[in-house]
Amino acid sequence: MIVGFTSGAFDMFHVGHLNLIKNARSQCDYLIVGVNTDELIAEYKYKRVIVPLKERLEIVEAVKYVDEVIPVDTLDKEIIWNKKNFNMLFIGSDWKGRERWNRTEMIMNTYGVKVVYLPYT
């Protein structure tokens, strides 16, 4: 069974979020979606969320392509992998080539995890 993982803020959920989740699910048997905590979003986006975490978790959980939803309080995918052991990591193509994602790819490759950049919509 191929387990996929993606994560994001999913604040003000829109069709781009839906496309990311739908495309990710089409490439795996089981999709885990991490929803970033309010505190994590403030750390890396320097913004406060509009929709609180509890509601964002409910919204993402209601999407039919999602098999499991977890709150995420770190950008470190290795920490998440140690808890969930996914085979594929999905991210929007707008992140491709950025230093953090180049490092993430190298680390994930050591675990046999394929990093897939999905079209940004």
Side-chain angles (χ1 to χ4, degrees):
M1 178 162 85
I2 298 172
V3 177
F5 178 79
T6 192
S7 62
F10 301 109
D11 197 23
M12 302 298 291
F13 195 91
H14 54 76
V15 74
H17 294 138
L18 181 61
N19 288 338
L20 176 77
I21 290 169
K22 184 178 180 179
N23 288 338
R25 183 58 173 84
S26 73
Q27 297 185 46
C28 62
D29 302 309
Y30 187 88
L31 181 63
I32 303 166
V33 178
V35 178
N36 296 345
T37 63
D38 300 354
E39 297 79 15
L40 180 61
I41 293 166
E43 264 181 47
Y44 77 95
K45 286 194 174 195
Y46 310 107
K47 296 179 183 178
R48 289 190 330 195
V49 296
I50 304 298
V51 180
L53 176 62
K54 184 177 186 278
E55 293 178 20
R56 290 183 288 121
L57 287 165
E58 285 183 46
I59 290 165
V60 173
E61 188 173 46
V63 175
K64 70 180 181 179
Y65 307 106
V66 176
D67 296 296
E68 184 179 344
V69 177
I70 60 170
V72 171
D73 61 2
T74 179
L75 295 176
D76 188 332
K77 303 306 185 238
E78 185 176 22
I79 291 171
I80 300 165
W81 183 87
N82 281 311
K83 294 176 184 176
K84 290 295 176 179
N85 290 343
F86 46 84
N87 310 99
M88 298 181 79
L89 174 59
F90 300 102
I91 188 67
S93 60
D94 53 321
W95 292 100
K96 188 171 179 72
R98 295 188 189 209
E99 183 180 333
R100 180 168 63 93
W101 278 96
N102 290 339
R103 275 193 320 272
T104 298
E105 273 189 73
M106 289 187 342
I107 292 165
M108 290 292 97
N109 285 337
T110 67
Y111 294 104
V113 175
K114 181 178 180 183
V115 177
V116 178
Y117 293 92
L118 296 172
Y120 180 78
T121 60

